[in-house]
Amino acid sequence: MNFQQFSGTVTSISDFQISTNDENRGCYQLFSVDSGYGNVVNFVIEPETYFIDHEMVAVGDRVTGFYDANAPVPLIYPPQYRAIVMTKEHPYQNVKVDFFNSQLISSDGSLMLNISSGTEIVLENGQSFNHNPINRNLIVTYGPTTRSIPAQTTPFKIIVIC
């Protein structure tokens, strides 16, 4: 996957119909997110969309949505992406969703992870991940970083995307 992100304020939340039958009614939503600079993105929220810390999102919240830039999208405006991960923005907490190589450096080369004994490493379902998280797609929550290139951090939590 080629993870990209878009941040902004949620301006509306509505049901998103994916079929004509009622079995999926209410299971899919559309979040409209405005960057504040004239850019708007609609995120399709599916039952599989991972919400950091399982937080509830409401209109007016600042969020960041992560999506696969290689996935097909309809040619409409505003752009509409399938959200893989959503997070509410919090001071002192950063989130990175990316592939991390054998040295735990993100695919864009901007972040290197230094795992400590206090770093929680789990699967998306919350269960422990008891292997090395190298060469995997990861959701990483972290605080301060060094000013080096790549920036280094000791993450609070790593969620392994299987």
Side-chain angles (χ1 to χ4, degrees), residues 2-5 66 94-101 103-114 138 140 142-154:
N2 176 13
F3 291 104
Q4 297 295 315
Q5 67 184 50
F66 296 87
N94 302 298
V95 176
K96 176 91 172 161
V97 180
D98 207 344
F99 177 84
F100 286 82
N101 67 17
Q103 297 174 320
L104 290 174
I105 298 174
S106 62
S107 67
D108 63 4
S110 67
L111 187 65
M112 180 177 180
L113 306 180
N114 297 314
L138 305 175
V140 180
Y142 62 97
T145 63
T146 63
R147 294 187 181 263
S148 61
I149 298 176
Q152 296 184 39
T153 190
T154 302

Side-chain angles (χ1 to χ4, degrees), residues 45-90:
I45 306 300
E46 301 174 323
E48 297 82 22
T49 301
Y50 186 85
F51 282 79
I52 302 292
D53 298 327
H54 304 289
E55 284 192 288
M56 189 72 63
V57 172
V59 171
D61 287 341
R62 295 254 332 141
V63 297
T64 298
F66 296 87
Y67 60 94
D68 181 0
N70 292 337
V73 296
L75 294 174
I76 58 174
Y77 183 82
Q80 182 175 292
Y81 301 116
R82 179 180 155 257
I84 297 169
V85 176
M86 291 293 292
T87 183
K88 282 175 74 169
E89 292 185 9
H90 294 287

Side-chain angles (χ1 to χ4, degrees), residues 6-17:
F6 184 85
S7 299
T9 302
V10 177
T11 58
S12 71
I13 298 174
S14 58
D15 281 345
F16 184 72
Q17 187 98 11

